[in-house]
């Protein structure tokens, strides 16, 4: 009865980051988010990613982190492939190599690397926050700073519903298999979605009656069972995060010398091998994923 | 009991579910339930048990679409113009599918949900959680995920969540239909204990006639939206032919008593015994 696993959930631990209030962690994460979206500078994004990785090691969530990163990273590799031939940059583009019918552009390689680093930096910081905080504590903190009660509930419920629906989906799939129906491929997945979907609707209807019967959604004074306290150190880390990420974001926006898209050049050999390995990396991942999905 | 005021009163209640249903789900319901009653609601699927129960805390007519006629008065409050969250302080609801009633990350938070809505203080919540977990026998599971519990435990958790709001009336809709036999027994005994020790009014829709005959002091038989029989278990189950015609089960001892009469092997007077103990009493007289 306890096979339920939320894919990205808390990894119990006792590191200083675990013990911290979720709010400073969230603030840092949003700060890094803002910084990452404000620059394409490879060095800045790379440093943000590297610090994120250090926090992963420090809080001892490495294996849980890797389980997610090993899916996310290969998928993000497509950014390098796609960007190299069609950069998200204003023309003119500088051709550094031809690759069959495609040209590989200098701006594309730069853009691909920086987008990859941006995604890895943001998700790494986000995972540190999520994997070191009890979800209820995160939600309680958000409620405290004014997130609507109902929105909060929707988040909690969604988090609960995902593994349950996954389970039900698996059950239905198995049932179909044992009735000697085709148990793999899209032909089997589609019909099994229907009972899961119908079940989900029924569940939500029943739940809403049950919640209402427990006075949920009352307009009066509410209280919170989960107690999350802000210690002095939490305020300090929060202020530090605000200043650091704020100043860094400001700096990357105003300092035009950080635009390395033209100045940073790549050799044709490097460009081609990077694009090739990114593409192969992604394809290998896809093959593994399909085989895992079909054999499950 | 007759001089007491009823705590629940249905006056000529009829309800049509929305969506153009011609036939009402419940029809001309007149019913009085008194404090401390343990009411068993019997009836086939579709008889209207759930619909009737949802009228008690005002989910019908306030939250479920449809046409409502008549009046339901609960502890002096007309459900028609009392918000459900107000009714929730008096009426606790437990439904058939335990898993569908749960939503929180931990058992403790599941129980706290209703109390948070009513603004209980933290200390009150902690105290109440321990208390209700004790009542339903789930001590020590505060931090567990509600979804990792067995069906019987989940159902007892939903009872605990209802109890946390200190209701005077506990409405249970087929609370054991998704629960294994041991889990069933636990739920019945929790309900009986609350009824006995806290004088809580219990209204339970349930197919287990044997158990209901033993615990309930009132049995109501519904059919196609109407109340056909309403009385003590002995009175109600003595209508053997009618109950059998409806396709409902009877307590075994009642059925035997009736059969003995039919075969002229004995002449057992109505009301028939409904539990083994009362049967033994009766047969002592005969022998
Ligand atoms: N949400 C609904 N919408 C439309 N009709 C409903 C709904 N719920 C119940 N009914 C109908 O109302 C009648 C009574 O159902 P219900 O109260 O659920 O009976 P019971 O609980 O005894 O099985 C049935 O005919 C059923 O089909
Ligand atoms: Mg029902």
């Amino acid at each position: 009865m306890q096979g339920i696993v939320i894919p990205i959930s808390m990894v119990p631990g006792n590191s200083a980051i675990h013990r911290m209030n979720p709010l400073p962690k969230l603030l840092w994460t949003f700060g890094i988010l803002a910084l990452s979206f404000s620059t394409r500078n490879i060095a800045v994004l790379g440093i943000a990613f590297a610090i994120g990785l250090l926090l992963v090691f420090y809080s001892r969530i490495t294996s849980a982190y890797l389980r997610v990163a090993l899916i996310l990273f290969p998928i993000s590799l497509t950014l390098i492939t796609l960007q190299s031939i069609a950069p998200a940059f204003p023309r003119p583009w500088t051709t550094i190599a031809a690759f069959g019918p495609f040209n590989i552009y200098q701006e594309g390689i730069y853009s691909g690397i920086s987008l990859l680093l941006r995604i890895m930096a943001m998700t790494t910081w986000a995972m540190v926050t999520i994997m070191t905080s009890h979800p209820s504590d995160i939600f309680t903190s958000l409620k405290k700073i004014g997130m609507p009660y109902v929105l909060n509930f929707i988040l909690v419920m969604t988090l609960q519903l995902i593994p349950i629906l996954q389970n039900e989906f698996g059950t239905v799939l198995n049932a179909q298999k044992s009735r000697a129906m085709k148990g793999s491929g899209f032909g089997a997945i589609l019909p099994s979605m229907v009972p899961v979907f119908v079940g989900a609707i029924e569940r939500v209807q029943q739940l809403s009656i049950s919640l209402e019967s427990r006075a949920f959604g009352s307009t009066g004074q509410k209280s919170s069972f989960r107690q999350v306290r802000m210690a002095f150190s939490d305020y300090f880390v929060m202020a530090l995060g605000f200043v650091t990420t704020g100043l860094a974001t400001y700096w990357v926006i105003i300092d035009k010398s950080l635009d390395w898209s033209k100045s940073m050049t790549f050799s044709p050999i490097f460009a081609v091998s990077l694009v090739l390995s990114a593409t192969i990396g992604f394809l290998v991942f896809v093959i593994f994923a399909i085989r895992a999905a079909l054999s499950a | 009991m007759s001089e007491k005021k009823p705590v629940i009163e249905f006056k000529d209640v009829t309800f049509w579910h929305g969506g153009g249903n011609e036939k009402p789900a419940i029809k001309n319901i007149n019913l009085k339930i008194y404090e401390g009653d343990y009411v068993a609601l019997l009836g086939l699927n579709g008889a209207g048990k759930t619909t009737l129960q949802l009228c008690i805390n005002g989910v019908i007519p306030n939250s479920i679409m449809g046409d409502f006629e008549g009046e339901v008065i609960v502890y002096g409050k007309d459900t028609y113009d009392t918000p459900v969250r107000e009714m929730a302080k008096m009426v606790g609801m437990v439904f058939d599918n335990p898993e569908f009633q749960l939503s929180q990350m931990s058992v403790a938070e599941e129980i706290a949900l209703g109390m948070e809505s009513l603004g209980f203080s933290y200390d009150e919540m902690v105290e109440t959680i321990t208390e209700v977990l004790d009542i339903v026998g789930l001590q020590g599971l505060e931090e567990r995920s509600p979804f990792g519990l067995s069906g019987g435990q989940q159902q007892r958790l939903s009872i605990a969540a209802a109890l946390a709001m200190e209701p005077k009336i506990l409405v249970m809709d087929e609370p054991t239909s998704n629960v294994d036999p041991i889990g069933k027994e636990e739920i019945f005994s929790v309900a009986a204990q609350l009824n006995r020790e806290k004088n809580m009014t219990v209204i339970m829709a349930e197919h287990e006639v044997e158990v209901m005959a033993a615990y309930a002091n009132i049995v109501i038989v519904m059919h196609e939206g109407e109340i056909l029989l309403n009385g003590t278990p002995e009175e109600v189950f003595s209508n053997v032919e009618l109950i059998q015609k409806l396709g409902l089960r009877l307590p075994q001892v009642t059925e035997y008593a009736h059969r003995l009469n039919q075969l002229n092997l004995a002449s057992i007077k109505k009301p028939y015994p409904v539990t083994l103990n009362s049967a033994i009493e009766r047969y002592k007289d005969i022998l």
Side-chain angles (χ1 to χ4, degrees), chain A residues 115-132:
Chain A
L115 286 182
L116 178 68
L117 287 175
R118 181 186 283 172
I119 285 186
M120 293 318 291
M122 294 188 312
T123 50
T124 302
W125 279 80
M127 275 190 268
V128 169
T129 300
I130 292 171
M131 291 178 170
T132 62

Short mmCIF file of all heavy atoms in Angstrom, two decimals, chain A residues 115-132:
data_model
loop_
_atom_site.label_atom_id
_atom_site.label_comp_id
_atom_site.label_asym_id
_atom_site.label_seq_id
_atom_site.Cartn_x
_atom_site.Cartn_y
_atom_site.Cartn_z
N LEU A 115 21.31 28.70 -23.28
CA LEU A 115 19.96 28.24 -22.90
C LEU A 115 20.03 26.98 -22.05
O LEU A 115 19.30 26.82 -21.08
CB LEU A 115 19.12 27.97 -24.15
CG LEU A 115 18.63 29.21 -24.90
CD1 LEU A 115 17.78 28.81 -26.10
CD2 LEU A 115 17.83 30.11 -23.98
N LEU A 116 20.95 26.08 -22.44
CA LEU A 116 21.12 24.85 -21.66
C LEU A 116 21.53 25.18 -20.22
O LEU A 116 20.97 24.66 -19.26
CB LEU A 116 22.18 23.97 -22.33
CG LEU A 116 22.51 22.66 -21.63
CD1 LEU A 116 21.33 21.71 -21.71
CD2 LEU A 116 23.73 22.00 -22.26
N LEU A 117 22.52 26.08 -20.10
CA LEU A 117 22.97 26.47 -18.76
C LEU A 117 21.85 27.17 -17.99
O LEU A 117 21.70 26.97 -16.79
CB LEU A 117 24.20 27.38 -18.85
CG LEU A 117 25.49 26.67 -19.27
CD1 LEU A 117 26.60 27.71 -19.43
CD2 LEU A 117 25.88 25.64 -18.20
N ARG A 118 21.07 27.96 -18.69
CA ARG A 118 19.97 28.68 -18.03
C ARG A 118 18.99 27.68 -17.43
O ARG A 118 18.61 27.78 -16.26
CB ARG A 118 19.26 29.58 -19.05
CG ARG A 118 18.14 30.37 -18.44
CD ARG A 118 17.38 31.14 -19.51
NE ARG A 118 18.08 32.34 -19.94
CZ ARG A 118 17.68 33.09 -20.97
NH1 ARG A 118 16.60 32.75 -21.67
NH2 ARG A 118 18.33 34.18 -21.29
N ILE A 119 18.61 26.70 -18.23
CA ILE A 119 17.66 25.69 -17.74
C ILE A 119 18.26 24.91 -16.57
O ILE A 119 17.61 24.72 -15.53
CB ILE A 119 17.27 24.72 -18.88
CG1 ILE A 119 16.31 25.43 -19.82
CG2 ILE A 119 16.65 23.46 -18.32
CD1 ILE A 119 15.74 24.55 -20.88
N MET A 120 19.52 24.50 -16.72
CA MET A 120 20.13 23.71 -15.66
C MET A 120 20.28 24.54 -14.38
O MET A 120 20.07 24.03 -13.28
CB MET A 120 21.48 23.15 -16.10
CG MET A 120 21.40 22.10 -17.22
SD MET A 120 20.07 20.88 -17.06
CE MET A 120 20.65 19.94 -15.66
N ALA A 121 20.65 25.81 -14.52
CA ALA A 121 20.80 26.66 -13.33
C ALA A 121 19.47 26.81 -12.60
O ALA A 121 19.37 26.59 -11.39
CB ALA A 121 21.35 28.03 -13.73
N MET A 122 18.43 27.13 -13.35
CA MET A 122 17.13 27.36 -12.70
C MET A 122 16.59 26.09 -12.06
O MET A 122 16.12 26.10 -10.92
CB MET A 122 16.13 27.86 -13.74
CG MET A 122 16.48 29.24 -14.28
SD MET A 122 15.19 29.93 -15.34
CE MET A 122 14.82 28.60 -16.44
N THR A 123 16.65 24.97 -12.81
CA THR A 123 16.06 23.75 -12.26
C THR A 123 16.89 23.23 -11.08
O THR A 123 16.33 22.69 -10.13
CB THR A 123 15.94 22.65 -13.33
OG1 THR A 123 17.20 22.53 -13.99
CG2 THR A 123 14.89 23.01 -14.36
N THR A 124 18.19 23.41 -11.14
CA THR A 124 19.01 22.93 -10.03
C THR A 124 18.64 23.68 -8.74
O THR A 124 18.42 23.07 -7.70
CB THR A 124 20.50 23.10 -10.35
OG1 THR A 124 20.79 22.39 -11.55
CG2 THR A 124 21.35 22.56 -9.23
N TRP A 125 18.55 25.00 -8.84
CA TRP A 125 18.16 25.77 -7.66
C TRP A 125 16.75 25.39 -7.19
O TRP A 125 16.50 25.25 -6.00
CB TRP A 125 18.24 27.27 -7.94
CG TRP A 125 19.63 27.79 -7.82
CD1 TRP A 125 20.62 27.69 -8.76
CD2 TRP A 125 20.20 28.48 -6.70
NE1 TRP A 125 21.77 28.27 -8.29
CE2 TRP A 125 21.54 28.77 -7.04
CE3 TRP A 125 19.71 28.89 -5.46
CZ2 TRP A 125 22.39 29.44 -6.17
CZ3 TRP A 125 20.55 29.56 -4.60
CH2 TRP A 125 21.89 29.82 -4.95
N ALA A 126 15.85 25.23 -8.15
CA ALA A 126 14.47 24.87 -7.78
C ALA A 126 14.44 23.52 -7.10
O ALA A 126 13.75 23.33 -6.09
CB ALA A 126 13.59 24.86 -9.03
N MET A 127 15.25 22.58 -7.60
CA MET A 127 15.25 21.25 -6.99
C MET A 127 15.85 21.27 -5.59
O MET A 127 15.38 20.55 -4.71
CB MET A 127 15.97 20.25 -7.89
CG MET A 127 15.04 19.69 -8.94
SD MET A 127 15.76 18.32 -9.82
CE MET A 127 16.52 19.12 -11.18
N VAL A 128 16.87 22.09 -5.39
CA VAL A 128 17.41 22.21 -4.04
C VAL A 128 16.30 22.67 -3.10
O VAL A 128 16.10 22.11 -2.01
CB VAL A 128 18.60 23.20 -3.99
CG1 VAL A 128 18.97 23.51 -2.54
CG2 VAL A 128 19.79 22.63 -4.75
N THR A 129 15.53 23.66 -3.53
CA THR A 129 14.46 24.16 -2.68
C THR A 129 13.41 23.09 -2.42
O THR A 129 13.02 22.84 -1.28
CB THR A 129 13.80 25.39 -3.35
OG1 THR A 129 14.80 26.37 -3.53
CG2 THR A 129 12.68 25.94 -2.51
N ILE A 130 12.95 22.45 -3.48
CA ILE A 130 11.86 21.48 -3.33
C ILE A 130 12.32 20.25 -2.55
O ILE A 130 11.60 19.75 -1.69
CB ILE A 130 11.33 21.06 -4.71
CG1 ILE A 130 10.63 22.25 -5.37
CG2 ILE A 130 10.36 19.89 -4.59
CD1 ILE A 130 10.25 22.02 -6.81
N MET A 131 13.55 19.81 -2.84
CA MET A 131 13.99 18.56 -2.22
C MET A 131 14.47 18.74 -0.78
O MET A 131 14.70 17.75 -0.09
CB MET A 131 15.11 17.92 -3.06
CG MET A 131 14.58 17.39 -4.38
SD MET A 131 15.90 16.70 -5.39
CE MET A 131 14.94 15.92 -6.68
N THR A 132 14.61 19.97 -0.33
CA THR A 132 15.02 20.16 1.06
C THR A 132 13.90 20.74 1.91
O THR A 132 14.10 21.05 3.08
CB THR A 132 16.24 21.08 1.19
OG1 THR A 132 15.89 22.36 0.67
CG2 THR A 132 17.45 20.54 0.45
#
